[in-house]
Amino acid sequence: MRTFTVRRARFIALCLLPGVVFVVLFTYYPMVRGAVIAFQRYNLFDITATPFVGLENFRAVLAEDRFWTALRNTGTWVAVSLFFQFLLGFGLALLLRRHFRGRGLYQAWVFFPWAMSGFLIGLLWRWMFNGQFGVVNDLLLKAGLIEERIGFLASPGWAMTSVIVANIWYGVTFFAIMIMAALQSVPGELYEAAAVDGASRLRRFWHVTLPHIRPTLALIVLLRIIWILNFPDLIYAMTGGGPAGSTDIVTTFLIQQVIGGDYGRAGAVGLLVLALLLAFSIFYLNATRFEKAR
Amino acid sequence: MRNPVLVATATVVTLLLTGCGSGSSGQPGEIRLRMIESLTGPERTKLIKSLLADFERANPGVTVELISPPLDSADQKITQILQTKKGLDVLEVRDHTAKSFSNNGWLAELPTTEWAGWPALTELAQKKAVEVGGKAYLIPYGFYQRTLFYRTDFGMTAPPATWQELYEAGKRMTTGDRYGYSFRGGKGGADYAVMMISAYNGDQLNPEKSFYLKDKRTIFSTPEAAQALDLFVKIFKEASPPDSVSWGYPEMVQGFTSGVTGMLIQDPEVIKTVEESGVTAWSTAPIPKGPTGYAYQPVGYAGWGVTSFSEHPAEAVKLVQFLSEAEQSIAFAKGNSLIPISKEAQNDPQFSQGAWKAYLQAQQDPKQVITIRPVDYPGWSQFLVDSDRDVQSLITGKKGTAEVLKAWDAFWVDQAKKVS
C-alpha cells in the first residue's frame, strides 16, 4: 500500500484544482456577488454609482403585494405539480419495470422530454393552449367535451391550471427515472421470500418495496421541490406571470425585477428565496429523519 | 513513465487556457472583430452574414465574427458581455438600451463629420443617431413605426380613421368565431393603451417628452385619458378575442393572418408576413386618431454601435459605416421590412407602393406626430413591466381605469422629480 506523502497530497490537490476553480468561479462567485448586490442600489440604468443601502431592497420587496401573491402562487405551483408528478411518475416507473418487447425504445421515448429546454416546452404549450388556434381546444371541441373555446392562458383561473398541467407533463419523467433506479435496488430475494410467505401483490408493495426505497424517495422529493420552485422557464414562456400576476411565482417575479433593471431588488428576492428553501430543507430533512428513526 | 505531477499540471493549464482564453487568436496581422446582434432571427442573421462577407471582401485582413444570441434574452446577454468590458467590438444598440449603455460608458462616440455617409442619411436617422446624450453612439439601421392592417373582405369599405371608428367597425365584425381587432393584452400591451391615451390628449401633448403635456402634467392625469382607457377596455371586451388577454406579438399577427381578426396594428415587418400568409384582401392605413384629429406614436429604432473598449476601434467604426451606407442599409431594410435610413430609398419603388403607402401618407400628415418616449428616465424599464401587468388587471376587471391612471400618473410625476 502506498503511504500518504506530502508529494501525493499535492498531486491530489492539483488534480482537484480545475474542478474547484470552476465551481468557485461559476457557482460561488456569482452567488456571493448576487448576495452583495442585494444590499446595494444597483439599477442597470446607471451602475457607475452603486452605494450600499442596507435593507432598503428587502423592505421594498416585502412591501409589494405582488411579491406576496407570487409567494402564495409558488405554494400552489410546487404542491400541485409535485403531487401529480410523483403519483404519475411512480405509476410509470412501476409499469416500466415489467419486461415487454421494445421496452428500451419505449423508455427512451418517454424520457426524451426531460432532455429538452423548459423554455422551448413552454413555447410549445403556449401554442397548444392558445384559445383561438390551440390544439387542446380543438381536440376538446371535437370530442364534444366543451362547446366553446376556453382561453386557457387568458383567464386567471385557467392560467395556473394550464402551466401546472404543462409542468406535470414535463416532470413525470424525472420521477419515473429516479424511482425506477430506486426500484432496481430492491433485492429480488425479498420478493421471493414474501411470496413464499403468501403476501399479496399489494402487501409486497407496501411492506417490501416502499420501506426499501423510502430514503431515496424522500431525497428525490426534496430535490424536486427545490427544482420546481426554481423553474420559472415554463411559466415565463407560457404566460410571463400573467394574466395580471395570477401565475407569477417568486422566480418569475425575480426575472421581472431583472428585466426592470433593478438588480438590487432582484438580488434581495434571490436571497429571500434562498432563505426560504434553506428553512424548508432543514425542516423537511428533520421530519423525514424522525420518521426513519421511528 | 512521465512525472504525474507534470502531466497533471499540463492538464490544468490546458483546461484553464481553453476555458478562459479569448478569441483573439489567428494569424498575426489579421484583425478579428466580434459583433453581436440583438433582434436575432434566422433570415436576418443570414442577411447580416452576407453583408459581413461583403465587408470582409472589401477589407482584406479583417474578419468579423457574428454572435447571435436567442432573441428573448439577447439584450441581457449583451449587457453581461459589456459589463466585462472585453471581447466585443460592434454591437446592436436598441432605443431602450442606448441610454443605459452610454450611461455606463460602454459605447464609443462615432465620428459623423469626416464620414461621407452621414449627409446621405435621412433627417430622422441623423436625429435618432444623436438622440441619447447628443452624441452619435449608434447609427440606426432602420425604423419601426406602426400602421393599421385591415381586411378588405370583412365588410369594411374604408379603414377606421379614429379609435371610435375602430371600435365600431370591430364590434360589427365580431360574430362567433371572428373578431374585429387583434388586441394585445400580453407583453407590450400597455404600449397600445398609451398610444390611445396620447391621441386623446390631442394638441396638449408635448411630443418631445411624450408622457407629459405642454403644461408639465402627465398625459395620464386628464379626463381625456380616462375616456381613452375606457374605450380601450371596450375594444377589448366587445371587439377582440377574449383570449387576447395573453396575446403578444406572434398571436396578434397569427390572429390576423389566420382570419380570426379583421384589424391589426403592427410594425412594417408584418407586411412581409401577411404577404406570405395567403391573405389577399387586405390593405394598410395610418394608425387611428383621437377625437381632435391627432395620432401620436414613437418611432422604434435600433442601430449599430462600437464599444468603448474595442481593441480595433478604427476597423469597428469602418464596419458600422459600411453597414450604414445606402446600398447595405437599403438591402437590410428591405430584408427586414424596415423604414430605411437612406435618402436614396425614396427613389426605390418598394417603399412607395402597396402596403408601404400608408407610411408615406402618415409622414405627410402633420397630425400624425412622431413622439419621443421617456426612455432616458430611470424608471422606464420598470414601467414597461408594471404597466403591462396593470393592463391585464384592467381588462380582466381586477382594477378600474381610474385606479390604473392614478398609479401611472403618480409614477411619472415621481420620475419627473428624479430627472430634473
Side-chain angles (χ1 to χ4, degrees), chain A residues 7 11 14-15 17-18 21-22 25 42-48 66 119 126-127 130-133 149-154 156 236 242-246 248 256-263, chain B residues 3-5 8-9 12 15-16 72 76 79 83 99-100 103-104 106 177 179 241-243 245-248 250-251 254-255 258 260 375-378 381-382 385-386 389-390 392-393 396 398:
Chain A
R7 206 179 110 98
F11 175 67
L14 206 62
C15 289
L17 192 65
V21 166
F22 267 73
L25 222 58
Y42 199 101
N43 196 318
L44 209 56
F45 184 73
D46 184 2
I47 56 170
T48 48
R66 295 167 181 189
F119 194 77
R126 174 174 167 183
W127 282 110
N130 184 296
Q132 298 305 322
F133 355 93
R149 291 175 195 279
I150 300 171
F152 285 108
L153 301 179
Y236 197 72
S246 52
D248 251 341
Q256 283 163 10
Q257 303 298 318
V258 172
I259 291 178
D262 199 331
Y263 283 27
Chain B
N3 186 344
V5 177
T9 316
V12 172
L15 268 174
L16 286 177
D72 282 294
Q76 269 90 334
T79 311
Q83 276 173 301
K99 183 72 179 177
S100 75
N103 260 353
N104 292 315
W106 294 328
D177 271 354
Y179 299 90
D243 192 46
V245 175
S246 60
W247 280 16
E251 287 94 351
Q254 173 81 12
S258 66
V260 171
V375 288
D376 52 349
Y377 285 54
S381 305
Q382 195 58 52
V385 177
D386 294 351
R389 212 174 140 123
D390 286 337
Q392 284 190 328
S393 300
T396 50
K398 283 188 178 170

Side-chain angles (χ1 to χ4, degrees), chain B residues 110-119 317 321:
Chain B
L110 301 167
T112 55
T113 43
E114 63 267 36
W115 172 42
W118 180 257
V317 167
Q321 293 180 341

Side-chain angles (χ1 to χ4, degrees), chain A residues 210-286:
Chain A
L210 261 190
H212 228 93
I213 63 172
R214 186 177 291 157
T216 322
L217 285 186
L219 199 65
I220 302 174
V221 167
L222 177 66
L223 283 179
R224 200 66 202 124
I225 288 173
I226 296 174
W227 283 343
I228 295 178
L229 201 146
N230 275 329
F231 184 56
D233 319 28
L234 204 62
I235 295 184
Y236 197 72
M238 283 175 74
T239 64
S246 52
T247 54
D248 251 341
I249 60 169
V250 279
T251 33
T252 54
F253 179 76
L254 192 155
I255 294 181
Q256 283 163 10
Q257 303 298 318
V258 172
I259 291 178
D262 199 331
Y263 283 27
R265 267 196 218 181
V269 178
L271 279 191
L272 287 170
V273 173
L274 188 72
L276 197 79
L277 279 176
L278 209 63
F280 174 79
S281 302
I282 291 170
F283 165 79
Y284 179 90
L285 286 175
N286 276 327

Side-chain angles (χ1 to χ4, degrees), chain B residues 256-333:
Chain B
F256 184 77
T257 54
S258 66
V260 171
T261 61
M263 287 179 283
L264 164 77
I265 294 179
Q266 257 307 342
D267 287 337
E269 78 251 21
V270 176
I271 293 176
K272 212 170 172 184
T273 317
V274 180
E275 276 168 355
E276 286 163 7
S277 72
V279 178
T280 47
W282 64 285
S283 186
T284 56
I287 59 164
K289 296 175 166 181
T292 56
Y294 277 93
Y296 295 94
Q297 66 167 318
V299 47
Y301 65 94
W304 306 114
V306 171
T307 60
S308 56
F309 46 84
S310 169
E311 284 172 27
H312 311 290
E315 287 76 14
V317 167
K318 211 169 171 187
L319 173 58
V320 170
Q321 293 180 341
F322 175 82
L323 291 173
S324 311
E325 275 156 18
E327 191 190 334
Q328 284 75 244
S329 72
I330 291 175
F332 191 74

